[in-house]
Amino acid sequence: MQQPPPLHTPLPPPAAAAAVVGSPDDKVTVYHHFNRQVLTRESYDNLLALDAAGPHPERALVTPSLPEGEGCEEQCGIGTGGEEDGVVEIDYAVIKYPMATKAGASYDDLPTYPPRPHFQKKHLHMQLSTQLVVYDGCPKDPYHPASMPIYQTSTFVQPSATEFGPYDYTRSGNPTRTALETLIAGLENAHSAFAFSSGMAALSTITRLVQAGEEVIAGDDLYGGMYRLLTKVSARCGVITKFVDTTNLEAVKGALTSKTRLVHVESPSNPLMRITDLRALATMLRERNIILSVDCTMMSPICQRGLDLGVDIVVHSGTKFLSGHSDTMMGVVCVRSEPLAKEIAFYQNAEGSGLAPFDCWLVLRGMKTLSLRVERQTANAYKVAQYLSTHKLVKQLNYPGLPPNNPDPALQEQLQKEFELHHRQATGGGSVLSFTTGSQAISKKYVACLSLETQVSRMQVCGQFAFI
């Protein structure tokens, strides 16, 4: 069996070649699953006739005749792949290949199964709190179950040797994962959404968009896992990372170079809850053809939709709010355009980082209560923030849902601007906050004395930490 070509090597897509004008003995090259087969014109026309007629009992009898013996590739004209040696361009329209859309594609353009949902023209039509509860993840199921089934399978039977069904291999696509991705894409008003095995798997896939020698600009207040990924993993691949205060757009602008490919920020950031002007930053980067990625884990789609602000990519660690039950690891990448969707789909399929069917089902179950949970969590966090804002041991409270009260006039002015900015691009302050006590001992004692089980996100020697 001939192996797939290396990346970026032009190769017609995996479908049959279009019929060529000539005698019945002329050779027609067929591509299927990256393997070249050569048919006579007569056999090929018979195959097309059966495809046009639909399912047929004689379909299995039409078997491509493969050349045998030494020199068969040269004899049949499949050596270099150009029109001069007999290889013709493929026409997707004449073969039953549901995922195919165009001719003349390269290996990198091969579709990932199944076709990703497209929401630029069709959005979820109900209020989010209602849509999450009544979402139908399998509208074509003949039994119409109220709960999305778990397709716990690795492979899917194909209709025939010359046609693909909607799914072939769960690494590439699974109906349960499609249901989850379709729902999240609708919540984010995304072109497509992709479910990953963890939040870090999602972030790692985004870094694949940057090649060796290119640059990433990241916020200087950043989740530690992403900092580690950029400085310890991406750096080994030749990717340069600069950490910049993204709340200062002039600082970001000054850090941009011709090599900058991606800007990654968090808003609110972790753990200082700093706010970046996403709309203004997106406008500035779009003029320079630079991708803007935003980690919106802390807000969830209920409180903030970055794509509506002009962001190119929105990331969530679905382990937190989307799942909501602390029983699943999961990450999400949402994109606003088809080109980005193709790249993310390619890397997800190539690296096998997609979320497993059972985990997809757990997240679907958890998301039914997402709106209610976020609403109650935000209300509770607001009350906690009010209490901490007046506590004598708290030196600095960081919570975007409460107006700042800092004794430093210059810092107070900056924090007030960020507070107002946050409420222009989000609804509510979310349920994550951090504060400083000025003493590591006091901070540790506070965590130890919490009566409810708390998930500590980050703690520093200055006594500053964030909790959910």
Side-chain angles (χ1 to χ4, degrees):
M1 179 179 292
Q2 193 171 357
Q3 295 298 314
L7 293 181
H8 307 298
T9 299
L11 174 70
V20 293
V21 178
S23 68
D25 293 329
D26 284 346
K27 298 297 189 295
V28 176
T29 301
V30 175
Y31 290 88
H32 185 68
H33 268 205
F34 310 113
N35 299 316
R36 296 185 179 189
Q37 302 176 357
V38 179
L39 306 177
T40 65
R41 167 68 185 281
E42 183 177 6
S43 296
Y44 179 74
D45 287 344
N46 288 338
L47 179 62
L48 291 187
L50 285 181
D51 277 335
H56 193 281
E58 295 181 3
R59 185 187 189 96
L61 300 179
V62 183
T63 303
S65 56
L66 299 178
E68 298 178 353
E70 294 184 3
C72 64
E73 291 190 352
E74 181 178 356
Q75 172 189 347
C76 300
I78 59 174
T80 61
E83 290 185 2
E84 66 279 1
D85 62 4
V87 177
V88 296
E89 185 165 310
I90 290 167
D91 184 358
Y92 277 81
V94 298
I95 290 296
K96 287 192 173 182
Y97 195 82
M99 274 56 69
T101 57
K102 65 179 182 179
S106 69
Y107 174 65
D108 290 346
D109 293 325
L110 295 179
T112 298
Y113 307 101
R116 298 293 173 173
H118 192 294
F119 283 87
Q120 288 181 333
K121 295 183 179 179
K122 182 180 180 182
H123 299 265
L124 301 180
H125 59 283
M126 299 181 184
Q127 293 290 333
L128 293 187
S129 56
T130 303
Q131 187 70 74
L132 288 165
V133 175
V134 303
Y135 171 67
D136 184 1
C138 51
K140 295 182 180 180
D141 190 301
Y143 302 107
H144 213 83
S147 176
M148 177 68 198
I150 306 171
Y151 284 78
Q152 194 66 35
T153 181
S154 61
T155 53
F156 299 83
V157 176
Q158 301 307 302
S160 75
T162 59
E163 108 186 72
F164 273 94
Y167 302 91
D168 65 339
Y169 193 53
T170 283
R171 171 170 52 79
S172 303
N174 181 283
T176 312
R177 195 163 86 214
T178 295
L180 174 61
E181 292 173 336
T182 301
L183 175 59
I184 296 175
L187 295 178
E188 286 285 0
N189 291 336
H191 176 285
S192 306
F194 302 87
F196 289 85
S197 57
S198 69
M200 286 309 306
L203 290 169
S204 178
T205 300
I206 292 174
T207 65
R208 295 288 190 262
L209 302 175
V210 187
Q211 299 182 9
E214 294 181 329
E215 297 176 346
V216 175
I217 292 179
D220 59 358
D221 185 40
L222 195 67
Y223 169 55
M226 184 57 169
Y227 178 86
R228 178 176 59 242
L229 178 67
L230 292 171
T231 58
K232 301 297 184 181
V233 181
S234 296
R236 295 182 180 181
C237 300
V239 175
I240 303 166
T241 301
K242 300 176 181 178
F243 295 96
V244 179
D245 179 6
T246 57
T247 66
N248 184 345
L249 294 186
E250 288 301 317
V252 176
K253 185 176 181 180
L256 298 176
T257 71
S258 60
K259 296 181 179 180
T260 306
R261 167 69 170 162
L262 172 71
V263 174
H264 178 79
V265 304
E266 298 172 356
S267 186
S269 64
N270 180 1
L272 296 181
M273 306 295 127
R274 300 299 302 272
I275 308 301
T276 296
D277 191 336
L278 300 180
R279 184 177 283 106
L281 181 58
T283 300
M284 181 176 69
L285 297 179
R286 191 175 301 113
E287 296 172 350
R288 295 165 172 80
N289 197 31
I290 298 172
I291 299 171
L292 174 58
S293 168
V294 178
D295 190 331
C296 290
T297 296
M298 292 192 186
M299 289 288 99
S300 86
I302 302 300
C303 292
Q304 183 170 273
R305 298 180 189 87
L307 299 179
D308 289 347
L309 301 172
V311 172
D312 299 300
I313 299 175
V314 166
V315 188
H316 292 280
S317 175
T319 308
K320 314 302 189 300
F321 292 102
L322 298 185
S323 174
H325 290 72
S326 298
D327 56 7
T328 312
M329 299 291 292
M330 183 259 193
V332 182
V333 173
C334 305
V335 299
R336 65 180 292 111
S337 67
E338 183 178 6
L340 282 174
K342 287 183 176 180
E343 289 197 72
I344 298 298
F346 175 83
Y347 286 115
Q348 184 190 60
N349 185 45
E351 297 181 328
S353 52
L355 191 63
F358 183 65
D359 293 320
C360 290
W361 183 86
L362 287 174
V363 178
L364 280 168
R365 179 204 61 178
M367 288 184 65
K368 290 182 181 295
T369 59
L370 174 62
S371 182
L372 293 175
R373 285 188 283 105
V374 170
E375 180 181 343
R376 182 57 61 88
Q377 289 164 336
T378 300
N380 290 342
Y382 184 82
K383 292 181 180 180
V384 173
Q386 284 184 311
Y387 169 78
L388 292 174
S389 66
T390 58
H391 198 285
K392 62 181 181 180
L393 293 179
V394 176
K395 304 301 182 182
Q396 173 65 44
L397 173 66
N398 306 304
Y399 178 60
L402 198 67
N405 183 21
N406 193 286
D408 184 337
L411 183 56
Q412 171 64 17
E413 180 181 3
Q414 174 63 23
L415 294 177
Q416 181 64 31
K417 290 181 179 179
E418 292 185 21
F419 170 77
E420 296 172 358
L421 170 62
H422 175 76
H423 288 271
R424 289 198 301 270
Q425 60 189 25
T427 57
S431 57
V432 182
L433 57 82
S434 68
F435 61 90
T436 60
T437 64
S439 166
Q440 186 181 33
I442 293 176
S443 295
K444 285 185 175 180
K445 186 174 183 179
Y446 174 85
V447 175
C449 291
L450 290 175
S451 58
L452 295 178
E453 193 172 306
T454 302
Q455 184 178 11
V456 178
S457 299
R458 183 173 177 179
M459 189 170 180
Q460 297 177 331
V461 294
C462 62
Q464 172 180 286
F465 64 91
F467 66 92
I468 299 176

